[in-house]
């Protein structure tokens, strides 16, 4: 099987400060720490466009999304080692052959199915669509829903984030911003019931580059990787609990919560793209 490898560029440790909001959770001894270890794990692709990240069903690998090159298997990075990619091939999907503008990828932990969002679709509609790649064969894809223009307007502010929240339920993040200056939006979607609700997150969150559900703390991590460059921890209504500035990560788009390694991974759409590892205590 074809492998794509890239060499680790450099490693550094910086300070990451959280600006805690005064809530009951913020004063708890189990809250996230004020500082953390920040490591640049390596260069991903010379052409940039890192856009999404999730674990494989067995947890032994990652699945990385690139918005001009589709999906790749990614070995879990280890410090000082190369990043190793393999093309994720799906028959008829056109991955690695045509630009798909894939912006986020998520795993249904119960079924092993892989879901992804595509920001732009056909000429008739350019807002965004949700696709499923059924387990265990991963040899075909299914269109789940194409969002209407009222929910996701045309242009570069469409479906940007995706996270699984249990059973057949997902939250799709509308990016927001852009020329239209529309607000970001959390779209709660059930594969059985369709769109169940829409929530606009706190006004200080200007963009949703990625969104991740935390099933341990029952909260959301929302990444604003372009406007304010802040990683937010929010309740399920999008109200801010903690803020973690990431000023030195340019155009952060991919986000993965990794409790086994006590860290959060952030992929940047820089040129070249980079994968950042932020280590936490009490994650």
């Amino acid at each position: 099987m074809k492998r794509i490898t890239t060499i680790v560029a450099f490693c550094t440790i910086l300070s990451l400060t959280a600006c805690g909001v005064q809530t009951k959770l913020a004063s708890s001894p189990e809250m996230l720490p004020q500082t953390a270890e920040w490591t640049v794990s390596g260069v991903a692709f010379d052409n940039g466009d890192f856009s999404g990240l999730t674990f494989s069903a067995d947890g032994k690998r990652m699945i990385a999304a690139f918005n001009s090159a589709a999906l790749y298997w990614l070995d879990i990075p280890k410090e000082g080692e190369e990043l190793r990619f393999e093309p994720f091939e799906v028959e008829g999907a056109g991955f690695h052959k045509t630009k798909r503008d894939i912006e986020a990828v998520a795993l249904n932990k119960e079924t092993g199915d892989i879901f992804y969002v595509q920001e732009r679709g056909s000429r008739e509609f350019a807002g965004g669509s949700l696709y499923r790649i059924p387990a265990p064969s991963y040899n075909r894809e299914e269109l789940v829903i194409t969002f209407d223009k009222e929910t996701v307007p045309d242009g570069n502010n469409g479906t940007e984030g995706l996270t699984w929240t249990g059973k057949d339920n997902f939250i799709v993040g509308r990016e927001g911003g852009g020329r239209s200056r529309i607000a970001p939006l959390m779209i709660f979607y059930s594969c059985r019931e369709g769109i169940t609700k829409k929530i606009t997150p706190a006004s200080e969150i200007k963009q949703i580059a990625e969104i991740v559900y935390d099933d341990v703390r029952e909260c959301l991590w929302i990444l604003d990787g372009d406007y304010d460059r802040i990683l937010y921890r929010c309740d399920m209504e999008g109200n801010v609990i903690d803020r973690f500035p990431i000023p030195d990560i340019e155009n952060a788009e991919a986000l993965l919560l990794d409790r086994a390694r006590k860290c959060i991974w952030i992929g940047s759409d820089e040129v070249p793209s980079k994968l950042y590892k932020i280590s936490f205590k009490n994650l």
Side-chain angles (χ1 to χ4, degrees), residues 8 31 55 60 70 88 107 110 124 128 148 221 229 267 273:
V8 172
M31 69 171 287
F55 281 115
K60 295 181 179 179
F88 190 114
L107 170 73
E110 294 179 357
E124 290 75 26
D148 59 54
W221 294 80
R229 297 189 184 182
S273 287

Side-chain angles (χ1 to χ4, degrees), residues 78-277:
K78 296 181 180 179
E79 187 173 350
E81 294 187 1
E82 296 177 343
L83 297 180
R84 296 180 175 87
F85 293 83
E86 290 180 10
F88 190 114
E89 302 289 358
V90 177
E91 185 176 351
F95 288 169
H96 317 291
K97 296 178 182 179
T98 59
K99 183 171 181 176
R100 294 292 303 272
D101 203 7
I102 294 175
E103 293 291 351
V105 59
L107 170 73
N108 182 323
K109 296 179 183 178
E110 294 179 357
T111 65
D113 294 348
I114 295 167
F115 290 75
Y116 71 86
V117 288
Q118 181 174 324
E119 186 172 29
R120 295 180 179 84
S122 64
R123 291 181 179 179
E124 290 75 26
F125 178 74
S129 302
L130 175 65
Y131 288 84
R132 170 171 44 209
I133 304 174
S137 61
Y138 300 130
N139 61 3
R140 62 187 176 88
E141 67 172 5
E142 304 169 352
L143 174 63
V144 178
I145 181 175
T146 295
F147 296 99
D148 59 54
K149 292 185 178 182
E150 181 179 351
T151 301
V152 183
D154 293 351
N156 190 33
N157 48 28
T159 47
E160 190 79 12
L162 177 67
T163 189
W164 177 75
T165 59
K167 297 184 178 179
D168 292 320
N169 302 315
F170 294 84
I171 301 176
V172 177
R174 183 180 75 187
E175 180 177 12
R179 293 180 180 178
S180 62
R181 300 295 180 184
I182 65 171
L185 186 68
M186 301 189 305
I187 305 164
F188 290 71
Y189 180 79
S190 165
C191 293
R192 297 182 181 182
E193 303 175 30
I195 296 175
T196 57
K197 62 180 175 179
K198 305 171 188 177
I199 295 178
T200 301
S203 59
E204 67 180 277
I205 301 176
K206 298 182 177 65
Q207 178 206 54
I208 296 178
E210 185 58 283
I211 186 168
V212 170
Y213 171 63
D214 186 336
D215 59 357
V216 173
R217 291 184 177 270
E218 283 290 316
C219 66
L220 298 171
W221 294 80
I222 297 178
L223 181 63
D224 178 345
D226 190 16
Y227 283 85
D228 290 335
R229 297 189 184 182
I230 294 176
L231 174 61
Y232 295 95
R233 188 162 66 92
C234 303
D235 64 19
M236 296 302 293
E237 300 295 314
N239 301 306
V240 175
I241 300 169
D242 293 321
R243 306 174 188 88
F244 294 87
I246 48 172
D248 297 322
I249 303 181
E250 182 180 348
N251 203 15
E253 289 202 4
L255 179 66
L256 180 60
L257 184 65
D258 186 352
R259 277 209 162 78
R261 295 164 189 83
K262 301 178 181 179
C263 71
I264 287 177
W265 301 93
I266 293 180
S268 71
D269 188 5
E270 302 174 71
V271 181
S273 287
K274 294 183 179 68
L275 181 61
Y276 295 81
K277 178 183 179 182

